[in-house]
Amino acid sequence: MAVARKRVVVADDQALIRASFRRLVDSAPGFVTVGEAATGVEAVEVVGRERPDLVVMDVRMPVMDGIEATRRIGVERPATRVLIVTTFDLDEYVYGALRAGAAGFLLKDTPPAELLRGIEVVAAGESLLAPTVTRRLIQRYAGAGGGGLQITDREREVLVLVAKGLSNTEVAEALFVSLSTVKTHVSSLLMKLGARTRVHLVIAAYEAGLV
């Protein structure tokens, strides 16, 4: 029995970029592009119609930008994950996109193989930030003062490692605990911090000055 492929929508105002992303997505086993959008409004409409697993979303688009589109998709179709892929490594874009509910943020100069890995990671339920984005967030939010998080010492250790970009498996190896234990801690952190995704846990860690 064939495994169902992950459904992807590509949203970018440049036709050439959309075509490139579509070819990249369709070249990967287990993925298929089911729609394209040239504006944020179109992205929301296509997602509502096609019910994809993932949207590869640009930020700068006419009519409605990718950040607002991401926010609306999160409200109307929360099961759909959004990976922001943009040319602009700007603080307001990064923070706005993550606050809107994006599960990842990469730059368009990311090599194709890494971009494809990013798509796979986000589609699998993980979160992903480009290294430059992580550094910018640290610079902006580290030292914001944070002893106020009501979490256990072990949860704090897990949160710091998640904020550094480690997967659940890597966190388990670093702390010498089981994968199920890490998943339990991550679930607890999501609940305690009111976070929708691991990316929001990263933001919380930066805001608390833990990283």
Side-chain angles (χ1 to χ4, degrees):
M1 181 178 175
V3 177
R5 290 186 292 177
K6 296 284 188 180
R7 298 163 58 82
V8 180
V9 166
V10 175
D12 195 291
D13 63 336
Q14 298 185 49
L16 184 60
I17 297 294
R18 293 200 305 275
S20 298
F21 283 165
R22 182 172 196 133
R23 284 195 298 271
L24 182 65
V25 169
D26 292 344
S27 72
F31 289 87
V32 60
T33 305
V34 296
E36 296 182 12
T39 72
V41 170
E42 289 181 7
V44 175
E45 292 174 349
V46 173
V47 167
R49 182 173 67 249
E50 298 293 341
R51 304 172 70 83
D53 300 288
L54 174 71
V55 181
V56 178
M57 182 85 75
D58 188 21
V59 172
R60 284 190 177 180
M61 292 186 290
V63 186
M64 178 194 296
D65 65 25
I67 293 175
E68 176 61 18
T70 296
R71 189 190 67 77
R72 295 196 185 189
I73 289 168
V75 172
E76 300 174 14
R77 173 70 182 165
T80 295
R81 298 174 66 76
V82 177
L83 172 62
I84 297 288
V85 182
T86 183
T87 306
F88 305 98
D89 185 12
L90 302 176
D91 287 350
E92 60 265 33
Y93 286 173
V94 174
Y95 198 60
L98 300 183
R99 279 299 190 199
F105 193 106
L106 291 176
L107 301 176
K108 286 182 180 176
D109 62 2
T110 301
E114 292 183 25
L115 180 57
L116 189 55
R117 176 184 171 274
I119 291 171
E120 293 170 344
V121 166
V122 171
E126 295 282 348
S127 300
L128 188 70
L129 293 175
T132 56
V133 170
T134 301
R135 285 196 294 270
R136 292 173 78 91
L137 282 173
I138 290 173
Q139 290 168 2
R140 182 169 180 180
Y141 298 108
L149 293 182
Q150 300 301 310
I151 58 178
T152 67
D153 289 342
R154 177 61 89 183
E155 288 170 346
R156 189 176 298 266
E157 291 176 334
V158 171
L159 179 58
V160 168
L161 294 177
V162 168
K164 290 181 178 178
L166 275 65
S167 67
N168 285 347
T169 300
E170 291 168 335
V171 172
E173 292 173 352
L175 298 180
F176 302 101
V177 297
S178 69
L179 179 59
S180 62
T181 296
V182 172
K183 289 181 177 179
T184 298
H185 287 313
V186 170
S187 296
S188 176
L189 285 165
L190 288 169
M191 181 180 66
K192 287 183 177 181
L193 302 179
R196 280 185 53 203
T197 70
R198 289 168 66 95
V199 169
H200 292 120
L201 291 183
V202 174
I203 293 174
Y206 295 148
E207 291 180 330
L210 297 180
V211 181

